[in-house]
Amino acid sequence: MRKFYLFVFLLITTLGFSQQDAWVYFNAKPNSKFYSDSPLEMLTQRALDRRANQNIALDFKDIPLEASYISRIKSTAGITVMAQSKWMNAIHIRGDQAAINSLSVLSFVEKVDFADKTLNQEGKIAKSIKLKKANKTKKTKVDYAYGSSSNQIQMLNGQLLHQQNYTGSGKIIAVMDAGYPGVNTTKPFQRLRENKQILGGYNFVLRDPDFYTGVSHGTSVLSSMGGFKDDLLVGTAPDASYYLFITEDDTSENPVEESLWVEAAETADSLGVDIINTSLGYFDFDNEAYNHTYSEMNGTTAFMSRGAEIAFSRGMILVTSAGNSGNSSNPHVAVPADAVSVLSVGAVNSAETKTSFSSVGPSFDGRIKPEVMAQGQAAIVSDAEGNIVTANGTSFSGPIMAGMVACLWQAFPEKTNQEIRDLILQSSDKFSIPNNQYGYGIPDFNLALSKQLDLNSFSKDDFIIYPNPTSDFVSVSLPSKFELGTITIYTLHGQKILEQKVTPQSATISLKTLEQGIYFYKLVSVGFSKTGKIIKQ
């Protein structure tokens, strides 16, 4: 009997009577004036504040969809509404092809766009549909016991931001993934729970408020940012707050997941989220007729990539895994990493060498992709049972980077998302010679901090001491390949009053015991020496 049902299904599919996915775009939003006059009806105050801080005006995209339009579509026989997007003024539907086509005559419908692109080209014969199973997933000094997670943080010089208390506090990260089991119970997330840093979430796939379910990919992703277990795991943004959204259906691969992601991004925007981390990527689907092509990797074609660009235009930073297809016949970055404004992240190993699986660029229109790199091989994460394990994939280099973005933005809360993004690229070790394997390279977040605190010196081959003037401490940005040195501080009369060893892992010097005034410093290492002035306020 089971074989008979399978035969009937395949026969129906072959005859072209299978369900189709499509987007229906509307041509108006009749309630625009009401929402424009009452912005708190559509966005929280935090979201409005984020816009105001970056001089971003509200516009037509912010207005919610017209409810009567959605109701009319829902009442059409053979049609199911799967997702909706106010940014696109569109809904994602599933149903019979003829029923979907009938919607184009409605007065409020601008166009109907099938996921099977051959159905949008009049007179072109659709290719036969093949079904397959897609490969899924892809001021007080702080001294954390990073344990085995130290390398993935120190590679980005993140520990130096942490030592200055830039740990993501005050920033909100929305995580888009496939599930978060164990986050509500296990030890690595206890600190997040006790400090009420999990602000909420939602399962968009099942339309269910329970987000502590699904597969544990999202659990591991979150742990690389917010996890905390002394001597074993410290995330890159342990003091950030988080929303956890399930947009990925691990049982299938369908374009509706792109639409669910956009819907979740709109929710994140309305809640005042600062950063969206996406360790997901889409290229091939179970129905090959829906597959993306490399020519679509231009940042303006895929529904999800267009949504990512709108999210950036609302003032958020999008951090996206580049993908794990580097060894395949199609090694290029996937949706939404192709979007122009996202910070797509490739993977290196602990020795800072690109992993073979990390997807590469360029985008189809010739842009550098990925933008930056972080550790994605043998990354230290937590599983759903709370065990500290290693994992491979740009799924983890992405959130490791996202956490550091939160720390840097905490240091410069007045800066726009574009300014923070630019700082990160400019601090990367291949900024002057980018390529489509490493992008702009591995960012040095301490150098990004230095760029703003000492505008006259900005090179990985320079020694920078900051903040200067200062009150309590100074930090040192060390030249590349610097291993060990000694910094000595003198009075104006040449009296030595402080001497301290400095390394890339320990480069913060307390000045609390010094009186206000002007001091000289001298840094000495093998083959290197520099002197300068420090002002203590």
Side-chain angles (χ1 to χ4, degrees):
M1 183 64 71
R2 183 178 178 183
K3 289 182 179 179
F4 173 74
Y5 285 141
L6 178 61
F7 171 75
V8 171
F9 172 76
L10 291 175
L11 178 62
I12 292 173
T13 300
T14 303
L15 291 175
F17 295 117
S18 62
Q19 298 276 289
Q20 295 291 339
D21 279 64
W23 292 273
V24 178
Y25 291 83
F26 302 142
N27 55 23
K29 290 181 176 179
N31 290 324
S32 292
K33 187 177 187 309
F34 168 77
Y35 286 105
S36 296
D37 293 342
S38 309
L40 285 172
E41 293 292 330
M42 57 185 179
L43 297 170
T44 62
Q45 187 61 54
R46 195 180 196 280
L48 293 172
D49 291 343
R50 190 193 63 229
R51 302 282 188 94
N53 289 341
Q54 302 184 57
N55 296 315
I56 298 172
L58 300 179
D59 61 24
F60 182 80
K61 292 183 176 67
D62 296 311
I63 306 299
L65 291 166
E66 172 58 34
S68 64
Y69 295 172
I70 301 173
S71 297
R72 177 66 180 82
I73 301 295
K74 285 181 176 179
S75 68
T76 304
I79 297 293
T80 301
V81 174
M82 307 298 296
Q84 55 185 282
S85 169
K86 66 177 182 180
W87 289 346
M88 306 286 195
N89 201 16
I91 59 174
H92 186 119
I93 63 171
R94 184 171 295 160
D96 175 74
Q97 181 181 339
I100 294 174
N101 276 325
S102 71
L103 300 176
S104 61
V105 303
L106 296 174
S107 62
F108 54 84
V109 171
E110 178 180 317
K111 67 174 181 176
V112 174
D113 188 19
F114 282 92
D116 180 351
K117 289 162 282 290
T118 63
L119 301 180
N120 298 320
Q121 303 174 40
E122 188 175 352
K124 184 171 182 179
I125 300 175
K127 64 183 179 181
S128 59
I129 296 173
K130 297 179 181 179
L131 299 178
K132 67 176 182 178
K133 180 65 177 176
N135 182 22
K136 305 291 285 183
T137 58
K138 355 197 166 268
K139 299 178 181 178
T140 301
K141 181 178 176 182
V142 177
D143 283 311
Y144 290 129
Y146 293 107
S148 51
S149 66
S150 61
N151 192 76
Q152 62 202 41
I153 294 176
Q154 292 173 1
M155 181 183 294
L156 303 172
N157 256 342
Q159 80 284 357
L160 297 181
L161 270 69
H162 288 178
Q163 288 169 11
Q164 296 169 70
N165 212 29
Y166 299 133
T167 53
S169 179
K171 290 298 175 183
I172 301 177
I173 302 174
V175 188
M176 316 294 204
D177 220 284
Y180 309 93
V183 172
N184 57 334
T185 57
T186 58
K187 182 72 173 178
F189 304 99
Q190 181 177 342
R191 189 171 182 270
L192 287 182
R193 297 193 302 268
E194 290 180 348
N195 294 334
K196 302 187 185 307
Q197 291 168 246
I198 304 293
L199 302 181
Y202 188 70
N203 186 335
F204 285 87
V205 174
L206 299 179
R207 299 294 175 185
D208 193 303
D210 180 14
F211 51 90
Y212 294 122
T213 186
V215 299
S216 61
H217 185 263
T219 302
S220 297
V221 164
L222 175 64
S223 73
S224 66
M225 292 179 281
F228 192 95
K229 199 170 184 181
D230 268 342
D231 292 315
L232 291 172
L233 168 68
V234 176
T236 47
D239 291 324
S241 296
Y242 297 88
Y243 282 104
L244 309 180
F245 296 132
I246 298 178
T247 64
E248 162 76 4
D249 183 354
D250 193 59
T251 66
S252 66
E253 198 80 313
N254 185 279
V256 73
E257 292 163 87
E258 292 191 36
S259 298
L260 295 176
W261 184 94
V262 173
E263 191 173 334
E266 293 175 3
T267 300
D269 171 40
S270 70
L271 292 168
V273 163
D274 302 295
I275 298 159
I276 294 177
N277 177 81
T278 306
S279 291
L280 307 168
Y282 299 96
F283 214 109
D284 295 335
F285 296 104
D286 295 344
N287 183 340
E288 290 185 351
Y290 296 164
N291 286 358
H292 291 302
T293 62
Y294 177 49
S295 64
E296 294 171 7
M297 298 299 106
N298 57 14
T300 60
T301 297
F303 192 84
M304 188 175 180
S305 298
R306 288 187 285 134
E309 280 301 300
I310 297 173
F312 188 83
S313 76
R314 310 295 99 170
M316 295 180 285
I317 293 178
L318 288 295
V319 183
T320 301
S321 298
N324 301 328
S325 301
N327 290 320
S328 73
S329 59
N330 183 12
H332 296 101
V333 297
V335 170
D338 68 306
V340 173
S341 299
V342 304
L343 195 67
S344 58
V345 187
V348 296
N349 61 21
S350 60
E352 302 187 3
T353 301
K354 177 189 172 295
T355 65
S356 61
F357 61 74
S358 185
S359 295
V360 300
S363 62
F364 184 74
D365 54 325
R367 287 174 286 112
I368 291 289
K369 287 287 177 177
E371 275 81 11
V372 289
M373 308 292 281
Q375 185 169 341
Q377 183 171 310
I380 306 301
V381 300
S382 172
D383 65 14
E385 287 72 44
N387 303 307
I388 306 305
V389 299
T390 61
N392 298 328
T394 61
S395 285
F396 309 107
S397 60
I400 287 170
M401 185 68 64
M404 289 314 310
V405 173
C407 297
L408 182 64
W409 212 353
Q410 176 195 355
F412 301 115
E414 78 286 354
K415 292 199 173 297
T416 67
N417 58 348
Q418 184 65 60
E419 289 171 331
I420 293 295
R421 185 182 186 276
D422 290 346
L423 267 177
I424 293 166
L425 297 188
Q426 292 165 11
S427 75
S428 300
D429 61 2
K430 297 184 186 298
F431 177 66
S432 60
I433 49 169
N435 60 57
N436 286 301
Q437 302 290 317
Y438 286 85
Y440 295 92
I442 299 172
D444 181 336
F445 279 85
N446 192 47
L447 192 60
L449 194 67
S450 307
K451 176 175 171 58
Q452 293 303 298
L453 296 172
D454 188 343
L455 295 175
N456 295 319
S457 297
F458 184 47
S459 166
K460 291 181 77 70
D461 294 322
D462 284 347
F463 164 83
I464 303 170
I465 191 164
Y466 63 92
N468 192 9
T470 184
S471 56
D472 294 330
F473 64 87
V474 290
S475 291
V476 179
S477 176
L478 300 168
S480 58
K481 300 182 181 178
F482 187 102
E483 294 182 359
L484 177 66
T486 301
I487 187 168
T488 306
I489 297 179
Y490 302 87
T491 68
L492 290 176
H493 302 292
Q495 179 185 2
K496 183 170 68 174
I497 54 174
L498 189 152
E499 187 173 272
Q500 181 174 318
K501 299 290 185 183
V502 290
T503 69
Q505 288 74 44
S506 179
T508 301
I509 302 117
S510 174
L511 303 181
K512 288 184 177 181
T513 61
L514 302 188
E515 300 290 333
Q516 293 181 358
I518 299 175
Y519 299 87
F520 293 112
Y521 67 80
K522 183 176 183 179
L523 178 72
V524 178
S525 182
V526 177
F528 179 87
S529 177
K530 184 166 182 175
T531 60
K533 180 172 61 178
I534 297 174
I535 300 174
K536 170 71 185 292
Q537 295 178 329

